[in-house]
Amino acid sequence: MNKTVFFGAMTAAVTLVAGAASATVLDEVKARGELNCGVSTGVNGFSAPDSAGEWQGFDVAVCRAVAAAVLGDPKKVKFVTTTGQTRFTALASGEIDMLARNTTWTLSRDADLKFTFAGVNYYDGQGFMINKAMGVSSAKELDGSTVCIQTGTTTELNLADYFKANNMTYEPVPIETNAEAQQQYLAGACDVYTTDASGLAATRATFADPENHALLPEIISKEPLGPLVAHGDDQWADIVRWTMNALVAAEELGITSANIEELSKGTANPEVDRMLGSSEDDLGAMFGLDKQWAKRAIAANGNYGEIFAANIGESTPIGLARGLNALWTQGGLQYSPPFR
Ligand SMILES: N[C@@H](CCC(=O)N[C@@H](CS)C(=O)NCC(=O)O)C(=O)O
């Protein structure tokens, strides 16, 4: 074999192997016709089935936006329930294409477990809930208490750090799901329930007597929560990241579910036109989607602010203020890089 033929054959072989190994997540999702999205087993307002069995919530909306962008239909999602313990195996094994379940972005989840966080859809921190009858007004008074705590979480680790740093002890009551935590806490099996403050607010909102339970003022950690995908497929990570960015950018640019149809006919704002697919630029083609991907993602549940207000905002029983999750233009941290 002469040199040229040999190298030609080598190149062909390498291309073949690379081709076989590179069925992308996007290809798989399209071929399946459904997005496998990992959610929690149930946190009111974030991800839980409604009375008709339809999944609803702030995290569920991220799954639906991605399905709308990729498959053209926000309903083409299979919701796969995961616990704090099972969520990472489900993602690493490919059982789910993405995880959208109040998961904190940490160094070890990134570098050791090998996941890519697509961004932060809720800036949170860990808090404590107690029954007011306990007569405690600060976490510093919790020495010797029993604490319900979900396993496989950052919550467990922060709790240990906080009590150690404050020279206090506690008795953990390990639990698997939020429903179990709620049950145990209400039954008095633990004095305190600790988790992300948003989760505490969501849980308390389902109690028959929310007024008898207090969230203590201390927030003991940073819990930047967001959706994640497995390492190894940057195109897929980009799609999830930019779908999230589209929701935030839409709020900043004033694109809402009410006006998106009208705006997508063309506006005086070139960035809006690029996002909604009415300009010459084809951003979607850069990661294997069409020109209307972002329009569909936004139309699925509205912009970030609409999703927040409808599921967990101040007019819902959960009653969360925007706080750190306000847009950067309103003093918060929600900020999308430019669409260009
Ligand atoms: N953000 C923390 C904690 C997340 C967590 O497990 N939260 C609980 C309490 S809100 C939860 O989602 N439970 C829902 C379930 O058990 O399905 C982490 O990533 O480790």
Side-chain angles (χ1 to χ4, degrees):
M1 211 188 281
N2 75 31
K3 252 188 177 172
T4 321
V5 173
F6 176 75
F7 281 114
M10 282 281 287
T11 312
V14 168
T15 312
L16 253 180
V17 170
S22 70
T24 64
V25 177
L26 176 62
D27 292 340
E28 285 171 16
V29 171
K30 279 184 169 163
R32 197 190 301 130
E34 196 171 49
L35 174 75
N36 292 335
C37 202
V39 289
S40 67
T41 57
V43 179
N44 196 26
F46 284 88
S47 61
D50 64 16
S51 53
E54 292 260 346
W55 282 86
Q56 303 289 353
F58 183 78
D59 288 333
V60 163
V62 178
C63 304
R64 295 207 186 279
V66 172
V70 170
L71 296 168
D73 184 349
K75 290 211 176 320
K76 291 193 172 155
V77 183
K78 181 174 150 203
F79 291 98
V80 179
T81 55
T82 62
T83 67
Q85 291 283 18
T86 63
R87 59 186 155 172
F88 298 127
T89 323
L91 186 57
S93 69
E95 183 193 352
I96 52 177
D97 306 309
M98 58 181 282
L99 180 66
R101 181 201 183 282
N102 53 25
T103 296
T104 306
W105 187 355
T106 68
L107 187 150
S108 56
R109 288 171 177 179
D110 203 334
D112 190 27
L113 298 183
K114 309 211 179 315
F115 298 125
T116 299
F117 282 79
V120 177
N121 70 337
Y122 194 97
Y123 288 91
D124 208 346
Q126 182 173 337
F128 297 94
M129 177 164 63
I130 49 118
N131 189 311
K132 286 184 184 164
M134 199 180 169
V136 158
S137 60
S138 158
K140 299 270 169 65
E141 298 166 52
L142 294 177
D143 192 16
S145 58
T146 49
V147 185
C148 277
I149 182 137
Q150 217 161 312
T151 49
T153 61
T154 49
T155 325
E156 265 186 315
L157 311 171
N158 299 326
L159 182 71
D161 285 356
Y162 182 76
F163 273 68
K164 190 168 173 215
N166 286 287
N167 221 357
M168 304 190 298
T169 60
Y170 63 98
E171 176 119 12
V173 179
I175 38 108
E176 268 285 307
T177 66
N178 198 47
E180 191 190 337
Q182 181 166 333
Q183 225 171 25
Q184 297 277 27
Y185 168 80
L186 288 175
C190 49
D191 305 315
V192 187
Y193 181 29
T194 183
T195 185
D196 302 336
S198 66
L200 292 178
T203 304
R204 183 172 62 170
T206 66
F207 290 178
D209 62 338
E211 67 285 357
N212 292 332
H213 301 268
L215 305 192
L216 297 177
E218 288 85 359
I219 297 293
I220 65 164
S221 67
K222 288 192 289 188
E223 307 292 329
L225 311 176
L228 52 150
V229 299
H231 271 186
D233 186 338
D234 289 342
Q235 180 195 46
W236 182 243
D238 286 347
I239 288 172
V240 177
R241 173 175 304 116
W242 285 92
T243 299
M244 298 241 312
N245 287 339
L247 303 178
V248 171
E251 182 179 12
E252 183 182 337
L253 294 166
I255 306 169
T256 67
S257 12
N259 66 18
I260 190 163
E261 272 312 320
E262 193 55 37
L263 294 182
S264 62
K265 292 177 190 154
T267 70
N269 183 329
E271 188 167 27
V272 171
D273 295 350
R274 276 194 297 277
M275 279 179 71
L276 300 182
S278 66
S279 84
E280 305 254 289
D281 299 295
D282 190 351
L283 300 181
M286 297 175 187
F287 41 41
L289 301 181
D290 65 359
K291 262 178 137 176
Q292 267 77 42
W293 67 279
K295 176 186 171 190
R296 288 192 304 270
I298 300 160
N301 330 266
N303 66 39
Y304 179 85
E306 291 180 278
I307 295 169
F308 194 105
N311 293 292
I312 56 176
E314 286 179 305
S315 61
T316 69
I318 299 171
L320 294 169
R322 286 292 291 269
L324 289 177
N325 297 295
L327 290 181
W328 68 288
T329 48
Q330 324 250 325
L333 297 175
Q334 290 296 343
Y335 177 108
S336 167
F339 275 70
R340 68 157 68 257

